[in-house]
Amino acid sequence: MSEPSSTLPPLTIWVVSDGRRGIENQALGLAEAVARELDNPTRIERVTVRKDGFVTLPANSHPDLWIGCGRAAVAEARRHRRVFADCFFVYVQDPRGHYSSFDLIVAPAHDRLRRDNALSMIGSPNRIAASQLDEARARFADEIDALPAPRAAVLIGGASKRYRMTPKIGRYLEERIAGLLDQGVGVMATVSRRTPDTIRKRLAERFGSDPRVWFFDGEGDNPYFAFLAAADWIFVTEESTNMILEAATTGKPVYLLAMDGKPGKFSRLHAALTAQGVLRPFLGTLETWTYPPLDETRRMAHAVIDRWQPAPQ
């Protein structure tokens, strides 16, 4: 992307969601990628639909590009189209029948959505950028460098519609971390807001004071991006498609950590990532391999720009 020109008109992108991090970050990640690829100066505004139906709208703002994700965004798109007739409307994920409400739909390939106004990508957009990883690695350099090398990041999620994090899975996670330590690997582990308190506490009690482990339980500055940047291997609980896809942007080996449940349609995502060289099964021995970092968000950003601002004929 060239340097923004002051002679070009500024553009405004609205990101519309219910505010949940996993939902909003998909739309926000696509918006940020579009902004990076544009020559115009660009402002991104968040529009949040609360549970009670109240919508927080940016003041004195008219969107040129509207990007939404989640069910709440679908209803808002119908309202906003009547007000902002010249805006280009994009939806991330499958809007479940409301296809005509959007100029473009960016859907996961594993959903198998086939529409004239739909594009498919491996997974969903994310907010990872190489500069972001580099900055995070530098910011937390002292803490990371104090750990033994090589290092593994262990990214732990929680229950979802398809998976449960049972006490058995908690013990499995303990064993996996302990096994890495036995191999001389430094561990950077993080839990999420979805991780059950019992498992969070058990992991903290066992590994929280171990000098070979940086266990992040959500308190203080979040080193998540630094973990991705500094890891030689990345382990991710299999229910978290967002964390799996974020790990795939690094070009580093990624292993899935088993959960109690079945992947359903997400088995197609896992298969696609395996075919891309991202995932391999963990058989007890750490392997080293590389692959082209997954850059689907940038590819979709270019597709949005092409559809929204077609090249002059």
Side-chain angles (χ1 to χ4, degrees):
M1 183 186 75
S2 60
E3 290 296 320
S5 170
S6 59
T7 63
L8 293 173
L11 297 171
T12 298
I13 303 175
W14 277 16
V15 170
V16 184
S17 75
D18 60 12
R20 286 180 293 166
R21 183 178 300 174
I23 297 296
E24 183 184 58
N25 279 353
Q26 294 178 46
L28 189 56
L30 181 58
E32 290 171 341
V34 168
R36 286 193 294 269
E37 301 303 318
L38 287 171
D39 292 322
N40 306 63
T42 305
R43 178 176 63 178
I44 296 174
E45 302 273 16
R46 286 180 168 95
V47 176
T48 303
V49 184
R50 300 191 324 202
K51 288 184 178 180
D52 61 5
F54 183 82
V55 182
T56 58
L57 292 173
N60 302 316
S61 179
H62 185 295
D64 299 288
L65 175 62
W66 189 106
I67 302 177
C69 186
R71 291 182 180 178
V74 174
E76 287 307 301
R78 294 196 296 271
R79 298 188 185 98
H80 291 172
R81 285 195 78 101
R82 293 194 293 268
V83 179
F84 307 114
D86 58 344
C87 182
F88 190 84
F89 283 76
V90 178
Y91 187 81
V92 177
Q93 298 289 343
D94 183 345
R96 305 294 181 187
H98 300 281
Y99 305 115
S100 63
S101 296
F102 303 97
D103 298 297
L104 183 63
I105 298 165
V106 175
H110 58 261
D111 278 349
R112 294 179 172 175
L113 179 62
R114 302 289 184 266
R115 307 287 300 188
D116 290 341
N117 62 335
L119 299 175
S120 293
M121 66 178 293
I122 298 175
S124 304
N126 61 67
R127 300 185 66 189
I128 301 294
S131 59
Q132 190 177 36
L133 297 180
D134 293 341
E135 290 168 5
R137 176 66 176 87
R139 181 181 177 191
F140 293 98
D142 291 343
E143 295 89 342
I144 291 171
D145 292 343
L147 298 171
R151 304 179 183 100
V154 180
L155 314 178
I156 300 170
S160 68
K161 291 181 180 179
R162 295 183 177 273
Y163 291 100
R164 296 182 302 152
M165 186 169 278
T166 60
K168 179 181 178 181
I169 296 301
R171 292 190 295 271
Y172 160 76
L173 294 173
E174 282 188 71
E175 293 169 1
R176 179 63 70 238
I177 293 173
L180 291 171
L181 295 175
D182 289 343
Q183 296 184 57
V185 175
V187 173
M188 302 169 292
T190 180
V191 292
S192 77
R193 290 176 294 180
R194 295 182 294 107
T195 307
D197 287 340
T198 53
I199 293 176
R200 181 196 309 263
K201 291 177 181 177
R202 183 164 179 151
L203 292 172
E205 288 173 359
R206 180 161 180 183
F207 302 112
S209 60
D210 192 316
R212 301 168 297 173
V213 179
W214 182 354
F215 180 75
F216 180 70
D217 63 357
E219 297 295 326
D221 291 342
N222 192 337
Y224 175 76
F225 292 140
F227 285 4
L228 292 178
D232 297 285
W233 303 276
I234 303 174
F235 289 77
V236 189
T237 50
E238 64 177 323
E239 95 295 341
S240 181
T241 57
N242 286 343
M243 289 196 296
I244 294 169
L245 292 164
E246 288 165 351
T249 67
T250 66
K252 299 174 181 180
V254 181
Y255 292 112
L256 295 187
L257 295 165
M259 293 276 280
D260 185 3
K262 295 182 179 180
K265 68 178 181 180
F266 295 107
S267 63
R268 298 196 286 270
L269 172 62
H270 299 165
L273 292 174
T274 299
Q276 291 282 322
V278 176
L279 299 177
R280 290 186 188 179
F282 183 67
L283 303 177
T285 301
L286 290 165
E287 298 180 89
T288 300
W289 73 91
T290 60
Y291 51 88
L294 194 68
D295 202 8
E296 288 285 87
T297 303
R298 184 171 182 265
R299 185 172 71 86
M300 287 296 103
H302 279 285
V304 168
I305 293 169
D306 288 344
R307 297 288 186 99
W308 170 38
Q309 297 181 322
Q313 298 298 315

